[in-house]
């Protein structure tokens, strides 16, 4: 019965903020790596201590609630343990599959290049790019704002997913077989269109579904 005990957590982000200033950090072993080490869990437990909180998320990361005054020191400790601390705010964020635990790494180099090129770009509201390394798309790329499904030397690009809720829907195939040499510029153009034409705080799926018949999307293809 342990699965049904203590259903109401003593510490949530909201409860902690009612009693002091806390910051939430999203932590993972990396963009591709999904395996934590015992030492990394020990570091997580140490930096959270008795005052913070730990929660798993659906985005391949663990959420930590940390006293805001300790954030810089905490990030340094986590990074020294080879943990990745995701950037926060209305920016382009990226996640990816585990490339079959490293057995299918063909798309890994271009994924790393896209990360360094795109992550952190300021957008109207947080924009999630999800890269899956083969056509199986086990990590549900098509259910993120921009889903990239790798095919040989190219990507199929899906746009406009509604990721959660009663009306959740997969994105639609926007462009097929965009070559790896062109995918960076292709994605940057999509991001530019979002920044230029979105309404304030408009989620990407609402923006795309509202504007998908606009000429600038046809010109992009």
């Amino acid at each position: 019965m342990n699965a049904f005990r203590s259903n109401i957590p003593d510490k949530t982000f909201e409860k902690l903020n009612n009693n002091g200033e806390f910051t939430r950090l999203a932590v993972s072993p990396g963009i591709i790596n999904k395996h934590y080490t015992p030492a990394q869990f020990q570091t997580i437990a140490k930096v959270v201590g008795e005052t913070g909180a730990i929660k798993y998320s659906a985005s391949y990361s663990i959420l930590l609630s940390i006293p805001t005054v300790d954030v810089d020191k905490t990030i340094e400790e986590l990074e020294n343990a080879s943990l990745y601390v995701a950037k926060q705010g209305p920016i382009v964020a990226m996640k990816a599959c585990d490339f079959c635990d490293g057995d299918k790494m063909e798309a890994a180099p271009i994924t790393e290049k896209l990360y360094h090129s795109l992550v952190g770009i300021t957008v109207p509201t947080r924009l999630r790019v999800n890269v899956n390394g083969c056509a199986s798309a086990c990590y549900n790329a098509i259910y993120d704002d921009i889903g990239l499904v790798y095919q040989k030397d190219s990507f199929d690009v899906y746009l406009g997913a509604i990721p959660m809720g009663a009306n959740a829907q997969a994105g639609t195939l926007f462009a097929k077989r965009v070559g790896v040499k062109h995918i960076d510029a292709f994605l940057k153009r999509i991001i530019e269109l979002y920044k230029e034409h979105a309404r304030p705080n408009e989620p990407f799926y609402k923006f795309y579904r509202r504007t998908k018949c606009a000429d600038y999307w046809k010109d992009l293809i």
Side-chain angles (χ1 to χ4, degrees):
M1 293 298 294
N2 286 340
F4 294 96
R5 290 176 182 167
S6 301
N7 285 328
I8 308 301
D10 294 330
K11 296 178 181 178
T12 65
F13 192 69
E14 183 176 0
K15 289 177 181 177
L16 287 173
N17 269 286
N18 287 336
N19 297 313
E21 292 294 326
F22 282 78
T23 295
R24 179 177 296 180
L25 302 177
V27 175
S28 68
I31 298 296
I32 295 174
N33 183 16
K34 303 294 185 286
H35 292 264
Y36 292 86
T37 68
Q40 287 173 331
F41 274 124
Q42 289 172 344
T43 299
I44 290 171
K46 174 178 175 290
V47 300
V48 171
E50 296 298 323
T51 59
I54 303 172
K55 179 182 179 180
Y56 71 85
S57 76
S59 59
Y60 325 150
S61 62
I62 291 176
L63 302 179
L64 312 181
S65 294
I66 301 292
T68 300
V69 294
D70 297 331
V71 164
D72 291 340
K73 178 184 175 183
T74 296
I75 291 175
E76 183 179 356
E77 289 188 60
L78 293 168
E79 290 179 341
N80 287 340
S82 297
L83 288 162
Y84 170 67
V85 182
K87 298 176 176 64
Q88 302 300 305
I91 60 171
V92 176
M94 179 180 285
K95 57 184 179 179
C97 70
D98 62 11
F99 295 91
C100 296
D101 279 336
D103 288 337
K104 296 181 179 179
M105 294 292 284
E106 187 175 348
I110 184 61
T111 301
E112 182 176 0
K113 179 181 177 181
L114 291 174
Y115 171 83
H116 290 296
S117 178
L118 303 177
V119 167
I121 295 175
T122 301
V123 286
T125 190
R126 196 168 181 86
L127 174 64
R128 293 166 178 82
V129 178
N130 188 345
V131 183
N132 282 194
C134 72
S136 296
C138 301
Y139 276 72
N140 293 329
I142 64 173
Y143 279 92
D144 267 297
D145 295 316
I146 300 177
L148 304 180
V149 178
Y150 182 75
Q151 310 279 4
K152 180 67 175 175
D153 295 325
S154 66
F155 288 95
D156 291 346
V157 180
Y158 291 79
L159 300 181
I162 303 175
M164 62 184 68
N167 297 316
Q169 295 180 20
T172 56
L173 180 61
F174 176 72
K176 192 169 180 64
R177 296 297 179 103
V178 179
V180 293
K181 294 181 179 179
H182 306 290
I183 190 65
D184 186 7
F186 190 81
L187 294 177
K188 283 182 176 175
R189 182 58 184 146
I190 291 173
I191 293 166
E192 287 171 2
L193 292 174
Y194 180 40
K195 294 178 67 171
E196 182 178 353
H197 298 287
R199 295 167 177 166
N201 300 316
E202 185 175 29
F204 183 80
Y205 77 87
K206 289 186 177 181
F207 158 70
Y208 176 67
R209 290 172 183 239
R210 176 176 61 82
T211 66
K212 62 182 179 180
C213 293
D215 289 341
Y216 49 75
W217 290 115
K218 300 173 186 175
D219 294 340
L220 179 58
I221 290 184

